[in-house]
């Protein structure tokens, strides 16, 4: 496996950890103070989590030359498209957290970048999730293309000479 695909797997593992953390914290937040935002966050990050797990599974089972077929292809297409749509929601979470951090920084008369780290954890988490989501979506596109190309070039036993 090439270095780029190993790095892709590492990004998927980090995305899984981040999404699981956000899902759990949102569930706890929903139990304490029920709100629609927590429900939306749980659903969004569950789908992000599923895509990251599916990406790891795809590399483990299909790399280097087994194309995505059948039910795996259906699941891939649906998860890919739904997560592409949810990028808008991730952007919304990033902007909302930045706006909250900006308001807080105005209250204490400090620039946002000088705020204590613990006040920016949500913003950093959402920004990392957004970055990793772009990497995963692009990586899945490239992986699927590479798997198909490698499958087409693969030589089978009956094709080998002598």
């Amino acid at each position: 496996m090439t270095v780029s695909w190993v790095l892709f797997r590492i990004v998927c593992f980090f995305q899984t950890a981040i999404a699981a953390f956000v899902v759990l914290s949102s569930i706890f937040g929903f139990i304490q103070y029920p709100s629609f935002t927590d429900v939306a966050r749980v659903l969004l990050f569950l789908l992000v989590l599923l895509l990251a797990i599916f990406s790891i599974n795809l590399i483990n089972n299909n790399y280097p030359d087994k194309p995505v077929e059948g039910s795996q292809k259906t699941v891939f297409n649906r998860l890919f498209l739904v997560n592409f749509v949810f990028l808008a929601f991730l952007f919304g979470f990033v902007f909302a957290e930045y706006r909250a951090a900006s308001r807080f920084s105005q209250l204490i008369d400090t620039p946002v970048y000088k705020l204590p780290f613990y006040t920016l954890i949500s913003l950093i988490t959402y920004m990392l999730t957004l970055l990793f989501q772009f990497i995963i979506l692009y990586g899945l596109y490239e992986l699927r293309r590479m798997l198909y190309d490698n499958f087409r070039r693969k030589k089978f036993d009956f094709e080998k000479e002598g």
Side-chain angles (χ1 to χ4, degrees):
M1 188 175 299
T2 63
V3 173
S4 60
W5 293 118
V6 171
L7 292 174
F8 179 73
R9 281 179 55 167
I10 291 170
V11 166
C12 290
F13 282 123
F14 279 124
Q15 184 77 320
T16 302
I18 291 171
F21 172 75
V22 173
V23 166
L24 289 175
S25 66
S26 296
I27 288 172
F28 289 133
F30 181 76
I31 290 170
Q32 291 176 343
Y33 306 104
S35 70
F36 176 74
T37 306
D38 287 324
V39 173
R41 195 175 298 131
V42 167
L43 292 175
L44 170 69
F45 281 90
L46 274 176
L47 287 170
V48 167
L49 179 74
L50 285 174
L51 186 70
I53 291 171
F54 183 77
S55 302
I56 294 168
N57 190 23
L58 195 65
I59 286 181
N60 289 342
N61 294 333
N62 293 50
Y63 187 84
D65 59 5
K66 185 178 175 192
V68 180
E69 300 175 319
S71 63
Q72 189 182 36
K73 183 177 182 179
T74 304
V75 170
F76 175 89
N77 289 338
R78 288 180 182 159
L79 271 175
F80 191 83
L81 289 175
V82 168
N83 274 280
F84 218 108
V85 170
F86 279 137
L87 281 176
F89 288 102
L90 281 172
F91 272 112
F93 284 130
V94 168
F95 290 135
E97 284 298 320
Y98 181 77
R99 186 181 322 152
S102 177
R103 287 181 183 160
F104 180 68
S105 71
Q106 287 174 352
L107 282 175
I108 61 172
D109 198 30
T110 305
V112 173
Y113 64 88
K114 288 189 177 181
L115 289 174
F117 178 75
Y118 64 87
T119 61
L120 298 175
I121 288 176
S122 294
L123 178 62
I124 292 168
T125 300
Y126 291 139
M127 289 175 69
L128 279 174
T129 302
L130 184 63
L131 175 69
F132 288 166
Q133 195 66 11
F134 276 120
I135 292 170
I136 289 172
L137 288 171
Y138 178 74
L140 280 174
Y141 170 76
E142 286 295 320
L143 178 65
R144 188 163 173 193
R145 204 180 79 190
M146 184 204 67
L147 292 174
Y148 180 71
D149 288 344
N150 288 348
F151 176 74
R152 280 193 352 211
R153 285 186 243 140
K154 181 179 176 181
K155 293 235 181 227
F156 296 98
D157 290 337
F158 63 86
E159 294 177 322
K160 295 179 183 175
E161 293 180 23

